[in-house]
Amino acid sequence: MPSLNELVRQHTTLTGSDVEWLHLLVSEWQLLSDLSFADLVLWIPTHDGTRYVSVAQMRPNTGPTSHQDDMVGHLVPRGRRPLLDAAYDEGRIVREGDPEWREEVPVRVESIPVRREGRVLGVIARNTNLLTVRTPSRLELTYLQSASDLAQMIAAGTFPFPGEQVDMDAAPRAGDGLIRLDADGIVTYASPNALSAYHRLGLTADLVGCHLGRTTAELVPPSRGPVDEALVKLASGWAPRQTEVEANGGVVQLRAIPLKPKGVHVGSLVLLRDVTELRRRERELMTKDATIREIHHRVKNNLQTVAALLRLQSRRMDSDPARLALDEAVRRVGSIAIVHETLSQTLDEQVAFDEIADRVLAMVMELSQDGRVATRRTGSFGILSAEVATPLAMVLTELLQNALEHAFGTRASGSLEVSALRGRASSAGPAGPEAGPAARAAGGRLQEYLLITVQDDGRGMPEGFDPQSGGNLGLQIVRTLAAGELGGTFDMVAAPGGGTRVVLEIPVG
């Protein structure tokens, strides 16, 4: 289905500011559709003025639809729908005409001009399914009267409200709770859901006949300070605003919509929703997130303490092999501490591993060399989960340490490069030529993988060395973590031009 922008650009001469106005209208017109119990279709005249193109459509949540099929993208010649012509040419709401019959369903058709800065941009066709018409209740009469007021404001160019920032996904809707106020802010009607929401705030009486602004302010606990005059004005409906009121353990979201159908303030609509349980769950999640971050912070501190104790013990060792073993343990503990420190600063269990890789590289170089080996990192590891980041940090530490110890020895200088490449592959094979079996997924599904290369220009591997079975404790740790914790592959090969190349491939999707 084409978008509003595409249809306007292809078929009309509207300007960018006109299109923004239409977007603002479309973001708000679910309210008009629900209050009208009717479908809405937005028609815009084409370049040459001989046809209309439908650029948007909305179905009501409060009643049956009159359009079973999508209308967006349809083109209608002028003259075929006289109500559209009259509304666009005369700039007024047109309700004349008998109901239309569509698939044995009677439909009442009305046309509402969409005005902006004195110009009519298009027409909203409001189509009401009359098959279930009955004697309207008080709630339905209030809905219809409010819809009529909003339609007149659209025709006059005063609705939607320019500059109002409303998150429509989170804003209350008509079915959540609706209160109708008169020009003085007195409640003339409150839906059952609206009354229940105010009972949650502690109201014990009926709302009808009360001044909503003062009543709402009186429900706010005195411990919160003096009565907020802004809250009184907002709940009185004098300006288009949105807020939340918390009292008596309940939280209610309010949105005020002033009604000025003929340029005169005749009252207001207040939409409201009880969001008590939603806010409670959000607070629980925030508490859990804070707790998890605090745990990571404490683990990091404890690991740093362990590393400091091992470092002190190393300095007191007379045996060189024992001192080197303790230094290796310090690096391993430090790499895990870096991951936990990063996790303590995030809102979830995801980390940007590039920062961790740089810190691990700096730590290993600081503890192992005196600036004799030039190091660099290329590519990006991207965002990784904590389950991947922790073992990967240890693997990277061991690979770097192994390269520094065995590739260069007493050489005066050298270079060491860490590269990372993320890609996707199907069961036919990986996207990159160096990707191995970890990148392949069963059933032809795409699998995201991370290809890590650690390459040096040192003296290379000893003759006959088997990277899958030989080596020291560090390589044994790498093999175990690569295959077990990370579910990937590990290999060491001779680098072109001399040196050693370590290739680690792990699935990260």
Side-chain angles (χ1 to χ4, degrees), residues 4 21-44 54-62 71-72 112 114 122-127 147 150-151 154 159-160 168 173-174 255 257:
L4 186 151
W21 181 262
L22 295 182
H23 277 294
L24 185 59
L25 171 66
V26 169
S27 71
E28 292 272 21
W29 70 344
Q30 179 72 66
L31 175 61
L32 177 63
S33 179
D34 290 344
L35 294 177
S36 303
F37 308 97
D39 290 74
L40 305 178
V41 179
L42 178 58
W43 298 92
I44 306 296
S54 58
V55 299
Q57 178 181 3
M58 178 58 66
R59 294 184 174 92
N61 295 319
T62 52
M71 297 295 295
V72 176
I112 305 167
V114 177
V123 179
I124 294 176
R126 181 164 55 178
N127 306 304
L150 287 176
I154 291 174
F159 186 83
M168 298 309 301
R173 299 189 175 186
R255 184 191 177 196
I257 302 175

Side-chain angles (χ1 to χ4, degrees), residues 61 67 109 136 160 174 210 240 242 258 281 324 364 382 393 424 433 442 480 490:
N61 295 319
H67 286 300
V109 180
C210 297
Q242 183 170 314
R281 289 196 296 270
L324 291 176
V364 173
R424 288 183 179 273
T480 301
F490 160 75

